[in-house]
Each structure stands twice: as C-alpha cells, then as structure tokens.
Amino acid sequence: MFASDNTAPAHPAILAALTQANEGIAPSYGADTWTARAEALLREAFETDCAVLLVPTGTAANALALAALTPPWGAVITHRIAHIVVDEGGAPEFYTGGAKLLLVDGPSAKITPAALDAEAARYSRAVVHGAQPFAVSISQVTESGAVYAPAEIAALAGVCRARGLKLHMDGARFANALEAARCTPAEMSWKAGVDVLSFGATKNGALAAEAIVCFGGAGAEVMPHLRKRAGHLFSKHRYLAAQIAGYLEGGLWRDLARHANAKAAQLAGVLRDAGAETIHPVDANMIFARLAPAQAGALRAAGAAFHPSAVDGAGAYRFVCSWATTDAEIARAAQALSAA
Amino acid sequence: MFASDNTAPAHPAILAALTQANEGIAPSYGADTWTARAEALLREAFETDCAVLLVPTGTAANALALAALTPPWGAVITHRIAHIVVDEGGAPEFYTGGAKLLLVDGPSAKITPAALDAEAARYSRAVVHGAQPFAVSISQVTESGAVYAPAEIAALAGVCRARGLKLHMDGARFANALEAARCTPAEMSWKAGVDVLSFGATKNGALAAEAIVCFGGAGAEVMPHLRKRAGHLFSKHRYLAAQIAGYLEGGLWRDLARHANAKAAQLAGVLRDAGAETIHPVDANMIFARLAPAQAGALRAAGAAFHPSAVDGAGAYRFVCSWATTDAEIARAAQALSAA
Amino acid sequence: MFASDNTAPAHPAILAALTQANEGIAPSYGADTWTARAEALLREAFETDCAVLLVPTGTAANALALAALTPPWGAVITHRIAHIVVDEGGAPEFYTGGAKLLLVDGPSAKITPAALDAEAARYSRAVVHGAQPFAVSISQVTESGAVYAPAEIAALAGVCRARGLKLHMDGARFANALEAARCTPAEMSWKAGVDVLSFGATKNGALAAEAIVCFGGAGAEVMPHLRKRAGHLFSKHRYLAAQIAGYLEGGLWRDLARHANAKAAQLAGVLRDAGAETIHPVDANMIFARLAPAQAGALRAAGAAFHPSAVDGAGAYRFVCSWATTDAEIARAAQALSAA
Amino acid sequence: MFASDNTAPAHPAILAALTQANEGIAPSYGADTWTARAEALLREAFETDCAVLLVPTGTAANALALAALTPPWGAVITHRIAHIVVDEGGAPEFYTGGAKLLLVDGPSAKITPAALDAEAARYSRAVVHGAQPFAVSISQVTESGAVYAPAEIAALAGVCRARGLKLHMDGARFANALEAARCTPAEMSWKAGVDVLSFGATKNGALAAEAIVCFGGAGAEVMPHLRKRAGHLFSKHRYLAAQIAGYLEGGLWRDLARHANAKAAQLAGVLRDAGAETIHPVDANMIFARLAPAQAGALRAAGAAFHPSAVDGAGAYRFVCSWATTDAEIARAAQALSAA
C-alpha cells in the first residue's frame, strides 16, 4: 500500500468491459466498434473533435507524442525531474530519433513561464550549433504531486505560442489533476493551449491503457505511423479500447480519481498529525513527507510501502493513494504512527 | 471468419487467468508472482533456463529481438515477404537504429540454407562499404503457411554459425508450427539452433501477449533496457504475465493450435473439393488458394472474409483458421462453394 | 589506372584555388567570401536561386539529401544496385533515422517510369503496416555507366509528382553525364523535375568536395541542421568552398568531364578492338566489359587496375577514366591487349 | 583576430604537405602511403600501437568516439558547458542513436572526480527506468580555457574504472594543452587512462583534419563502420592524411601550439594591464576576461573580434589566439585599450 498507483489492481468495471468485448470476431487494428466507442467517449469528454490513439503504457504515449512534435534534430523543454527525463529509460530520445531534453527547474516540479521563456530564449533556429526546441512537456499531476491550474497551463502555452513551440501534457494522472482543479477536461487541455495530451488510465484503474489525444490536428497525421513502427498498434485492438471505454463510461474515471485524492488528503492529515512535514502541496493523490526513521520503520512494519523521494533530501518519502486505497489502510498507517 | 487469427476473441481460460490476477496489490514492472509463474512455465515448456521478456505485440517482440542481435550498422537476412519486412511499418529498422534487411527468396516463404549462405557470402566485415549481417530471421509458420521442420531450422542454424550470424525465429504462430511438426518446443527452437524466439500467443487465444525467449543468453542482457526504452515494459505487468500463464497452463496453447490446424485442413479440403487449387503446403492454420471470382464472391456472401495474397498472383487468397473457428463456419463455406 | 576516378589526384587549378583561399583570417562556418563565391557560381551554372550546402563526401551529400526528404518512418525507392544501396555502409538508413530503401530493377542500373510507378503503387499512406515512400533516388551517371537523358528524368519526375514523391539525383558524376547528354545543368536537374541534387566534384578533380543543391526550396530549411548534426559543417569552410569555386570557375568542371568521357570512349574502342564485349552503353567515363582471363591478366601486368563488376556475371570488369587519364595509359592498355 | 582559432588559415607547411600528396594515382579509402605515414607518426607521438581514424571535423571525431563507446540506450557524463553539449547540434545524440548526455558542473568547465562519482552513483544497470552511463567525456583544453593536468585526468579515469565507464577526451586543442602541461602525449592520454582521444589539428593549423585515436583497442573494431556510415570516410583519403602528417612532421604541431599559448599569455597580460579581470586560468590559448563596455568597443574598433562568454555573466568575453596570431595584433589590442 502507498508504493504507487500502479501496484493497484484494475477496477472491476474495467475488467467487466474487457470481458464484454470478448465476444465473437472483430476487425483488427482498431476498425472495431469498441474502438469507435472509446474514441467517441473521449471526444465527448473533451468536447472537441480530437484525434485519438490508444497505447498500452504511459511511456509509449509520451514518447510517441514527443516524436510527433519534434524532429530528430529538435529539442523538448521540460522539468528536470519530469518522468520523461528520469523514468522512461530514454524513450523520448529513442522515439524522437535523438532529440535533446532541455531541463529547467521550478518549485514542486512545475515549470514557470519565466523559466520556460528564459530557456527558449537561449536558442535560435539560425544558430545550428545549439539546441533547437520544438516542444514543451509538462506533467499533470507533477512528479512532486502538484497540479497546474488551467490558468498556469495557459500562461505556459502563451510562451509556447510566442516561441513557436508545441505543448505536450503528460497526463498520467490527468483524472486526479482534474478532480483537484475542479474544471472540465477541455479547460485543462486544449482550451488552455495543450496540443497533445497523454491521457492516462492505467494508474487510475485500467490494466494497461492510455490514450494519446491530439488537439487541432497536432501530430495526428504522423502518429499512426509512429505507433505502428513502435510495435504499439494492437492487432486485437478491442482490448485496449474496451478499457478506455469502461474507464470513461458513466464518469467512472472521475469517481476513481476523486477517491484517490480524498484518501491522499486523509493520509496527509495522518502524517501531519504525527508531526511529519509535507514537503509539496498535496494537490492530488501523492504526498511527499519527511519522516523520522522510527516513523518510516513503524509504517513499513505495518505493511506500508513507499519510496524515498529522489530530490527532497534525506528522510523524504513519497506516498501514493489510488482508486483502491481503503480507509483500513489509512487507519493502519495512523495507528502505526501513533504507536511510534 | 477466415480473415485472420487476430480477429478471433481471447480464449475464455486466458481471460479467466487475467481475472484471477486482478486481486489486491502487486509489485509493478514484473516483480509479481504471475510473472514468475509465466516464466517458470516457459522454462518448463522449453526445457531450459531461458531468459524471458513479455511484450504486448509480435512486432515489438520481433523488433526487440533483432535490435538485441544487430547493431545499428548491421543487417538482418530474411525472406522477401517476411512479416518483419512487409507488415511491421519499419519497426525492425526503428528498433535496430537503422539496420538493413537483406532479402532472399525461397519457396513458400522459406529461406533455404543455400540462399542464406549465398547472401551472407556477399558481405565481409572487412569491407565497410557493404552491408554487415549479424542475424537471420525466419518466420514459423511462414507467411505462406509453411512450417520449417526442426532439421530445416538446424540446417539454417548451421549456416548461421559458420557465418557468425545469430538466428531469430518469428514464432507468431509457433504453437501451430509445433502441432504441425509434432515435436517439442525445445526441438523447434534452441535444440535446432535458434538464439532468440518471438513466442506468439495473441493470434492463438491471448488478448495481447507475446514472449521473447532468449536461449544461451543471446540478447538477454541488453533486452530489458531496449524494452523499457520502447515503452513496452508494463507497469501492471501481471496482466501480461497472467495471459502467458493461462496460455501455457495445462497445455491449452497446444490444444488451441491443434484445433486451428485441424480446421484449416478441413477448410483446405472444402476448397479443393470445390476445384480450388491450394498454392502452398497447408502445414498449419493458413491456406492459400486460387479461387474463381464466382467462388470468392459466394464465400464473401456467406460471411467469409479473406485477403488476396500479395505474392501469388491474381485470384489467390489467404484463409486463416483460429482456435475459435467452428465447424459451422467450415460448413457454411462448403455450402456457399457448392452453390456457386 | 582505370580502377576508379577517385584514385586520381586533384586538378592543379583546384589546388591552386585552395592555396589562394589560404590567406588571412576568415569567418568560420560558411560566412566567408569563398563560400559566397561558390554558391554564386552554382546558382549561375544552374540558372536558378537554389539553396546550396557543401560537404566533403558523396555519401554525406546523398544521405543528407534523403534525410531531408524522408521521415524516419518513410521510404526511398531506388535501383537495386544504386550506390546508396550497396556502397554507403548504410548511411541513408543512418541519416534518415531508419527509413527503408525499396529496390527496383532496370537495365543498366536505370529506373524506368513503369517500374517506379509499379513499386509506388504497392503502398498507401492509409496502410500503416507497409512501407511509406517519400522520395526516389536516381544515380547520374548510373552504376552501370549509363546516362539518363533529360526526357527520361522528366518521365520519372512525372511519376514522382503523381505519387507525391520527391526526386533526388545522386550526381556523383553529374559533369560526366552533362557532357554525355550535351544539355545544360538546369535541363538535367530542376527543369527535368529534380528536387535535390548531390553535385559531385571529388571524382572529377576536387580533393573532397560535393555540393547539395536544393531546387524550389526542397529540404533547404532542414538540411543545415542535419549537416551540423552529422559533423559535416566545416569550421574552416573556405577550404570546401574554394574547391567548388575552382571547379566551376571558367568551366573547368565540364572540360575535365569531357576529357574523362573521351578517354573512356577511346578505351572502349581499344577493348572492343581486342574482341571484348562492352556490356552497358558507354555513355560517360565508365566501361563495363567482358574479358578473357588472359586479357585481364595482360592488362594488369601492364599496370591497369580494375574491379570485377558485381552484377554482370563472370569475366565482367569495370574500367573508369578520369580527368587525369592519359593517352599513354590508353596506349599501354591497347598494347597489352594486342600482345595477349 | 581573437574570435576563434578556426578563423585562422592553414599553416603553409600543412598546405605544402597537401600539395606534395597531389601526385599521381593513389589507392582510395585510406590504403595509400600518406595514410600509413600519418598513422605511423601518431603512433610514434603517442608511443603506443593505437588505432587511428581520420575525419574532417571535431564534431565528427567526438560523435564517432562516443558512439563507439556507448549504446543507443546508454549515457555519457560530461560537463554542462562541454562542446559536445552546447555546440555540436546534437551530433552525439545522432551518432549514438539517442544516448543521453548527463551534465555535471565544475569550475572552469572541468569535471571533478567527486562530481563524476556522484553522478555515476545515481544510476544502476539494474534499474532500467533511469539513465545507463557508459562513458565520460572531458574537453582538453576545456571550454573555459583550463587544462587538465595528467594527474587530474588519472583521477577521473580512476572513477571511470571503478564505475565501469570509458573515458573520452575531446582534444580539439590537445596540442595547446600539451604545451601548457609540459608533458608527453602519452602522459596526457592513455597513460592517464584515456580510452579514446579526439586529436584536433584543424584549430591549430590544419585545413580540416582530426584524428580519432583509440587506445587499448577501445572502439577500434566498430568505428570504421560508424565512420563509413556517417559519410566521413574520404575516398581521396590522402588529403586528410597529408594534413595530419604535415602537422606532426618535425614537431610542427607543438611549435604552433606553443606560439598560440604564448600569444594568449601576452594578450592576457595586456588585458590585465588595462584593468580587465581574467575569469578563468589562462592555461593555454584562450582567455576569458571581463571588460568595461568602452574597452570592448575600443578593441572592436581596432579590429579585434571576440564573442561574449555564455556562462560568465555580463561583460565577459572570450579571446582566442592561434598559431597565426601576431605580435602586431597584440600590440594593436594594447594600444586600443590604453587609448580607451
């Protein structure tokens, strides 16, 4: 418990959707009705005629998105601790054909418009020796657990437009961010200036399914080729599509995220009550907190699992809640801490 | 019906295995017990301590295997109509970093030892201008429906060893080939000299799951890095593993393949009875047959779907049977042809 | 003698131009006056406002040109024995990021419009599984010594336009082709529909200098970035430029090519007089001839060097004349053959 | 004057060597006697049986070296302002196939053993999500004008050995460093633990020639293939070789570097006399100094050219002396400054 939202199982309703899709013959490679349904649900959720591609992992979604927006000789500006930088084994470099990731800093893993503009200003298409930025990538929720408000995204998008850059959002925890920001999917994406979104479902209840959502046609012509070439076009495509459809159907995705966020807020309270400092804003379903060794030990003894934060100094740990986090788990953590 | 084995649904037992895996928290990225179980079953089936990596598609399996065996400046010798050449959108070139595919001909999409040796003999590591072969890739079942006997594979492997080449087998239909050749998995792979096998499950009853099996350590050190970098390392890895475990458990995989092969033999009989010529040996679950336009039309009207063969001239079509092909479907085809 | 036009030295006038450029300080990376002069001479020769990039080798010119015209997931249609296929160590695959070379056949290494059209017709942008052609590459002079007439190029360009493909010409021996076809540079390039030309100088008297010439802006925006990234942007750029300027100045390039072609015609006569069959049209400065072993031995004993043809069967050899080939060398060959 | 050592012409003796090589027919692609001579001179200079590859640019040398030491999924640790990071248009990423550059800081663009070790310690071959370092690259002279002493290199090499990393030296100004450190080429390279050296000649008097020198066989098997594939194998190879031979012959290279260093020391004195602060150690032929706007203006008016330093704050400029820098130029600068 608490190690990651990807240690949770799939939500029964999503598995049920998968099971329902397992009937009879279906055209392969996405020409089936489940795929049409998943795409329709995404377009409805985003209130626009976006292009959609389904893939099984967030790394694939991010790398394909960046490769569609950036030539091999280009560069992507992103935060120093972004998932695409530190946790994807070089997938962005692989998919783009060797584009550079240009790193900027910012509090709680957020990029600020000023930092973005300063970094972009260092390069020029006329100077071939230096980097050639084409895109910006932000994580929503950030790797430190913070959420960009729509206005913050719009400010970054403004810099992007002024500098001729496309804006990618790694929305591995898009649903959690949405619940935190209490806005519509459109407001958090294309209305704020996002060109391509990696829309995550896996961490929030799917088995292995993510959608790349292209707004205004960005990357949409190239991406089907890139996906096929990467081995990410499923032959039995209905099984990806059924997950996404089941995830969106009836607003399940938002319910699950709301639960995860609520549990994180509870857990943060428990940690703070025990005297632990929370390091970043607990905007969504992740908590970063500094614990005494005895506290960490007591939690672990009570069955909690959690990783040290890579960037917040000694004694700082990350806790993640998911759709499957229970009150009992929170209670067990509280009990362990009060005993410590 | 008959369009492809990837239009079939997943076998219920495999979906059941998936459902059973959907219990509680599990370590991510392959550290779970289902993964250990899938690997153990593969090692048992192959009677050797092979390295195993699970991925969701055959294209990913093939491209990763070739990338582990061939440097970017290397080349892979394969058949002119191999799946990796004509149907993977350039995935081998992408994953290898631009290695060349060197194409040879051979009957029923099989490579002969003589053709392989002649092609390999055209190049030399000392002549940097020309291609630099590092690997050979064969398809089992071939794209024309033929099956390599173990002795045929061993003969190719002999050329490979003499020429310093590694041998990859695209076993998208490995189970069907095994049933055709009536030999053990070991006899059709490492005992015959195969270094890396793409072990297919998707076409034979899984949802989306393939195993890369490395014998004698070939590629095993590099491949985990390549898989991660390609976005093919699943976070909720248990769902890939459960499919493979369910596929192997109790010999289900061989039962399903036996069924598909038997249905293909039946359908071939039906076609021949109607006067259609079968073009290649019907070794496994694919049939290539030349039909009169009226016959093709009648079959289509009866609900059959089938693609023209790309290489066998006008009027030649491919029919594929799967684990889900029914006697009723065969009967319907027979009826349509006799009425035509 | 006769082994290749790249075993010849540089022409003294080109070395003199280099020496003249070696005066004082000059801006680096192409901002010097010699570069401006070379570009102006090329624009004058081609009678159009083409974009120009200088590089030291033909392989670099070809690979950069193709990379500017083809995305990593694209393909280039070319002749089976084109230099870019068999003699560039995979440079086109490297520079394009893994694009495929699709091979067609044709007499004397020429692509015919029908063969080109048939190959292009096999693929569709809508079918992501198959290859995605973006460009066609032809060699002028071909690898078998033949020259495309402007009308032949225009016919190929017509197919390219109809199929949405760009046309690249590997003009490693462009000057020799021009002298053979007795037309203007414009007629042999952009007026016939060539989009990007690799304009060779090295084989015809330079030390190491080639120009990539982009017509109608094709690839011109991308190529400076690709060249820099490939390490082909010279810091002391004047030394590339001086070669090209010296090569073009006063029509030296055409004089040198005329000489080479004339010597090849003479040598072909000598070979034919000795009973040797010339296999392909001797359009420019290369001869392919079938020799008796005694003839080959006698020529070698007289100091001639020549390679077997890779594609014309046993006893077939290639002879190349250059700007530096002398009457004495031809006479020595004649003498050796008549003694044999 | 002072803008860069690559704005200087070639040294007459090197041009003379080129001219002498321009005699008669010579085997292509490096099988000529000038190449043998250049290699022999390098082996003599380095007192070891190193493998040698000649290329025309430093970017090509560096990128090829790194690609030979690092797989596409690997990483190279280097200084944040290294030439390979900021000035090569992404060539290292291109040649390696997308490897990451991991950046560390250090005074005067030097990497310290502690910083290197700390960075290397962040990654593990067992954690596929993160970067996978394979090599370290240091610049000699550094981008801030400092020189690593042999003992400093040996300390870095010690960390490399302990961490399983190869050590590359970008020796674009190797000769200048050597004159600064007053040691032998061997002491500054393989005896200190360098695996592959980019041995620069262009900036120190050649036209366009650099040698990749591989010690202990590092990268030597792979590099000829990488060089060919990158279009950097010259057909008329003698013209690269003659430059390197002329450069080394009679110790010319060290004389030229000694001159450049001496002029830089003089110019540094002039700048300091004028009250300008020199920012980094003036170890070799580069000076970084902070100037008042009036001083900068006066120097420019007197014909001096110099670039702002990208990393040393406002008013900081880089001055470079070369083999061709004259006393008159220094005097002119002094005069301009005293008048300012």
Side-chain angles (χ1 to χ4, degrees), chain B residues 259-269 282 284-287 319-321 330:
Chain B
H259 174 90
N261 289 7
K263 293 303 128 187
Q266 263 180 263
L267 180 58
V282 181
N285 65 321
M286 289 196 290
I287 305 150
F319 298 81
V320 191
C321 292
I330 308 281

Side-chain angles (χ1 to χ4, degrees), chain C residues 1 6-10 18 22 24-26 28 56-57 87 89 91 94-95 202 206-208 228-232 234 236 238-239, chain D residues 1 6-10 18 22 24-26 28 56-57 87 89 91 94-95 202 206-208 228-232 234 236 238-239:
Chain C
M1 70 209 214
N6 63 31
T7 60
L18 201 69
N22 200 43
I25 283 168
S28 44
T57 71
D87 268 325
F94 176 41
Y95 277 74
T202 309
L207 297 84
K228 171 67 198 186
R229 194 174 184 237
H232 278 292
F234 275 35
K236 297 182 171 178
R238 54 174 139 174
Y239 300 113
Chain D
M1 70 208 214
N6 63 31
T7 60
L18 201 70
N22 200 43
I25 282 167
S28 44
T57 71
D87 268 325
F94 177 41
Y95 276 73
T202 308
L207 297 84
K228 172 68 197 185
R229 195 173 183 240
H232 278 291
F234 275 35
K236 296 181 170 178
R238 53 172 136 172
Y239 300 113

Side-chain angles (χ1 to χ4, degrees), chain C residues 10-40:
Chain C
H11 188 271
I14 293 174
L15 198 56
L18 201 69
T19 304
Q20 283 158 30
N22 200 43
E23 267 309 311
I25 283 168
S28 44
Y29 299 116
D32 60 279
T33 53
W34 293 272
T35 300
R37 176 86 188 123
E39 293 187 2

